[in-house]
Amino acid sequence: AAYQVFHNELESVMRQQYAIGNANAFAKFIPSVVNAANQPHVSTTVTLGDDTVTFYAPNHERMLSAKEGKLLKDIQSELDQNRRCVVYVRYSGEAEQDRRIASVLKQNGIRVQTLQASVSPEERIEWLEQAVDKGTEVVVCNAKLVEVGLDLMFFPTLLFYQFTDEIATMRQASRRAWRIGQHRACKVFYYVYNGSYEMVQFRRMLQKRSHAMLLEGRLDKSEVSQFAVQDDKSASTFAIASCLGDVEDLS
């Protein structure tokens, strides 16, 4: 309830600001509502033009949010199957979403490390190898840190805690465990709060993915494709995919 009040009030202010020419209003709106949903223990005040909107945190810092609880349960299940995990976030800077998740996992006895942007691209392969050698079970990082050349062979379960609208980053990050030589089934989890702006992001991302795959001569037949925004092209694509068998290439 606290989130919905904050979301609706901030959206109203954002639209007013955007209408009078404040081009940065929408860019400020997105991280504010996403972080409020994902960190209900953190109060925040957002200023747009002459207006301010405050989110009053309904949770105590020691309380797990619904999404945190589900993430923890899924990771524990994966680790019981001897499957290391990578958790992807988007807001790993000032919001410190990566540190929050790492803290929750550590408190529950899970060996976790956070990959920071301060580790150069050239050093990240060695960093991951050392993490595996140390017995690290879960790595938490911004999805952009693995989009260039990193293989996550030892982490067959990838979990998107937050999303980005950059479809190339999302697609590359989701395939980092599915590399040549991988002998284990690869899993990708997406965590979304229904009724939040995250669902808008999620559906838009899936629409972009289905269009990108169509250009490559492929159809998106994944379990989550049903959530994509159904414009004329994607609706027709989904209908075709539903009635075809295991078609790998439409060319």
Side-chain angles (χ1 to χ4, degrees):
Y3 170 79
Q4 286 301 145
V5 170
F6 172 70
H7 179 284
N8 293 341
E9 186 175 349
L10 186 59
E11 183 175 20
S12 176
V13 171
M14 178 272 294
R15 293 187 181 281
Q16 293 172 10
Q17 287 292 317
Y18 198 77
I20 62 176
N22 185 348
N24 295 322
F26 195 67
K28 203 167 186 178
F29 167 77
I30 295 175
S32 298
V33 293
V34 169
N35 286 320
N38 284 291
Q39 300 199 54
H41 60 283
V42 178
S43 295
T44 184
T45 297
V46 183
T47 300
L48 291 176
D50 296 329
D51 298 301
T52 59
V53 181
T54 300
F55 173 67
Y56 297 99
N59 285 14
H60 190 277
E61 185 177 1
R62 289 192 296 271
M63 294 175 60
L64 294 186
S65 68
K67 193 191 270 194
E68 288 171 344
K70 176 61 174 170
L71 177 73
L72 176 61
K73 182 179 178 179
D74 288 340
I75 287 178
Q76 289 173 328
S77 176
E78 292 301 297
L79 295 181
D80 286 344
Q81 302 170 59
N82 195 29
R83 296 176 59 88
R84 292 187 181 92
C85 305
V86 172
V87 180
Y88 292 131
V89 299
R90 178 179 183 180
Y91 298 106
S92 54
E94 184 178 344
E96 296 187 337
Q97 182 65 72
D98 51 347
R99 296 182 185 275
R100 167 66 181 182
I101 293 174
S103 175
V104 168
L105 298 180
K106 285 178 182 177
Q107 290 171 17
N108 285 272
I110 294 173
R111 296 190 295 274
V112 58
Q113 283 189 258
T114 303
L115 175 59
Q116 302 282 350
S118 56
V119 179
S120 69
E122 296 78 17
E123 297 174 330
R124 288 171 194 167
I125 294 177
E126 183 179 356
W127 187 96
L128 285 168
E129 292 174 346
Q130 291 177 352
V132 172
D133 291 340
K134 292 177 182 177
T136 300
E137 298 172 306
V138 179
V139 169
V140 184
C141 69
N142 191 306
K144 287 191 71 66
L145 299 185
V146 304
E147 69 176 338
V148 180
L150 278 187
D151 289 344
L152 300 175
M153 295 281 287
F154 296 104
F155 299 85
T157 299
L158 309 177
L159 309 101
F160 283 90
Y161 196 82
Q162 293 177 322
F163 311 111
T164 172
D165 287 320
E166 298 176 35
I167 187 58
T169 299
M170 292 286 292
R171 293 187 71 195
Q172 290 172 7
S174 69
R175 307 281 282 213
R176 283 300 161 204
W178 195 57
R179 318 302 290 172
I180 294 175
Q182 178 63 268
H183 65 281
R184 307 195 67 179
C186 297
K187 299 180 185 179
V188 180
F189 289 72
Y190 299 94
Y191 295 84
V192 190
Y193 277 125
N194 197 16
S196 74
Y197 185 78
E198 282 187 321
M199 182 57 79
V200 177
Q201 284 185 308
F202 184 56
R203 288 168 62 85
R204 186 166 59 231
M205 181 270 292
L206 291 176
Q207 180 190 39
K208 291 180 180 179
R209 186 175 75 170
S210 70
H211 290 174
M213 292 177 67
L214 187 61
L215 285 172
E216 297 166 1
R218 297 188 295 140
L219 293 175
D220 186 356
K221 299 182 67 177
S222 66
E223 295 178 19
V224 294
S225 61
Q226 61 183 301
F227 294 102
V229 177
Q230 296 294 301
D231 61 9
D232 291 341
K233 290 187 178 68
S234 59
S236 299
T237 301
F238 185 74
I240 293 170
S242 299
C243 67
L244 290 177
D246 292 328
V247 178
E248 294 295 330
D249 192 334
L250 295 183
S251 60

